[in-house]
Amino acid sequence: MKKKLQLNKLSSEVINQIAAGEVIERPSSIVKELVDNSIDAGASKIVIRIRDGGMSLIEVSDNGGGIPKENLSDIFLAHTTTKLANMDDLNTLLSMGFRGEALSTIVAVSKVSVTSKYDGEKVGNKISFTSDSESKVSSTPRESGTVVKVEDIFENIPVRKKYLKTVQTEYRHIVDILTPYFLIYPNIHFELFKNDKQVINLLSKEVNSGILDKDRVKEVLKQDFVDRMEKVFFEGNGIKVSGLTAHPSDHKKRTKFQHIFVNGRSVWDNGIARAVIQGYERYIPHGEKIPFIITININPELVDVNIHPRKEEVKFLNPYRVFSAVEQAVSKALEKLVSYKDVGKKNVGDSKAQYIPDFTRKSKDYASSKNITFSKRGSVSDSLKFSEAILKESKPLGASDIGIQTSFLKPEKEVGEYKAKEVVSFYQIFKKYVIVEFENEIWIVDQHAAAERVTFEKLSKSVEIKNTDIQNLLVPTEMGITHSDIEFLKEYKKMVNNLGFDIEIKKGRLSIKSIPVEFVHADIEKLFNDIFDMDIEDSKKNLDRLKMDMVATMACHTSIRAGQRLDIPLMKDVYYNLLDCDNPYSCPHGRPIVWRMSIEEIDSKFDRTY
Ligand code: ADP
Ligand code: MG
């Protein structure tokens, strides 16, 4: 026999506690709600006091507009808010809070007292609550603003209390939740006290709220990479994107330095994060993360902030428009970051030219060979002269005293310094790595990754303006291709031509009549097959990405490969051409190219101190 189930009507207290669980997960959620309220009240200074990871005390005081006496006891009622009157308001809302549930749920899980002086009244007032009692409102001296004091969190809900972690962990959560506020409100003076000791004091800056201030960012994150961050900006379609994004060399295994703000609210959105990372694809090792702070200002009608209990996520009416705005903002910033070189420098004629020398040696070989002809912009001898100029330039200046330790090749300024550094000698090991010996360190260069990078950069420039040296094939390479490949080639023929491939489709077969010189040793059929294997559907959304994907795929077939013995001149080419790259840090697939090791590091392995 079936047991009869009893249907219980939950008491309002239990209901409140359940609801509280969604909004108030842990002490840090209380901090967030209270700080939101202070910001909504127009505070220019907010002081947060935490004791025992917030478990025994959270106190947030502000100098905002305050709460009128007559409202004091009501603000703790569920769904009571001064910020929202009807559904229409929800669509235009810019305040942090709006559901009127924070204070009521906080009261459901702790002891709360509020002291506040409303701007329009003469004296301050005080009220205190527990989950089942409420004090009378009494007047009390206070100059301005509001203090909310929350004590004994989850004391009345042992189950939840049990789930709290250590004091230290809860405290860390609080700092993590505060960090975005510190970043996005440089106009607000924040103080944080941990067990009565001041641990953070961020003076306000003369900027508007929601505008990042680099000094504030540095004060908050305390990371050197902040200095190297680049401003991001895009405006259009009712969306404004601004913020800061890290230099590609500052990539991290994991990073907590990724922040997204939508209309001043800290949120997480995978789509936006992906849009940022997309811009970095060619510059950082696969799977690595990059620090960024992206702020998006968008018409509130185009975003729903009411989809998450703690408002940690938002939903855009037109997400792709937002992603594309972010992507554009970031790629613009990146372009600036990686074209740091002073291209006009002495013997470096123009920026395109600097990618030529790598292949001049081969050009010469092939030029002297009878059956190959060159069609080119800029004669072979020009390129040769140029190559020599670069080699000369890089030699005689002597070692500079840069601080050196073991690391992958990092920030941009270093590369410039290496151009002036004398190379003692070149070696090759394992048919894979070129060792470059300097006076006080060595570089281990992945020869294929380096060559790929050089070719990639050269080709990416010729996608727009043909500037590759072309080698005509005596006997064209022919291969069978599928119908969709033909369609693809038709569509992108000009691009393929610009890259230096002269192709023709005859009777359903592809005939390749000329190729860029750097592919003279490559398996052209395989190269084209790799291009056809690219995820075109995905790339089609954005022509620029498709171009770059194609170029990266081609660069992979570059003539210097792993497993190939290199003579000294080729090793030199690898090194000097790499120095001339916009981004010598990683190959187009994101693998690192250079590993540096200092003499000190090597000496220390042998316990040698001199
Ligand atoms: P919400 O923020 O969604 O309106 P809350 O429960 O957080 O809901 O707060 C309820 C109301 O209490 C707010 O609408 C506001 O009028 C008032 N309030 C709370 N904290 C403050 C504060 N620090 N300064 C001024 N008013 C406050
Ligand atoms: Mg609120």
Side-chain angles (χ1 to χ4, degrees), residues 19-32:
E22 292 197 6
V23 183
I24 310 299
E25 204 183 19
R26 56 192 343 147
S28 63
S29 346
I30 296 181
V31 174
K32 176 176 151 74

Side-chain angles (χ1 to χ4, degrees), residues 240-257:
K240 186 169 147 190
V241 177
S242 60
L244 293 167
T245 195
H247 187 276
S249 62
D250 289 318
H251 61 81
K252 310 251 174 288
K253 268 269 155 303
R254 280 183 54 222
T255 182
K256 45 181 183 171
F257 307 115

Side-chain angles (χ1 to χ4, degrees), residues 33 37 83 97 102:
E33 294 295 340
N37 283 345
K83 298 164 197 169

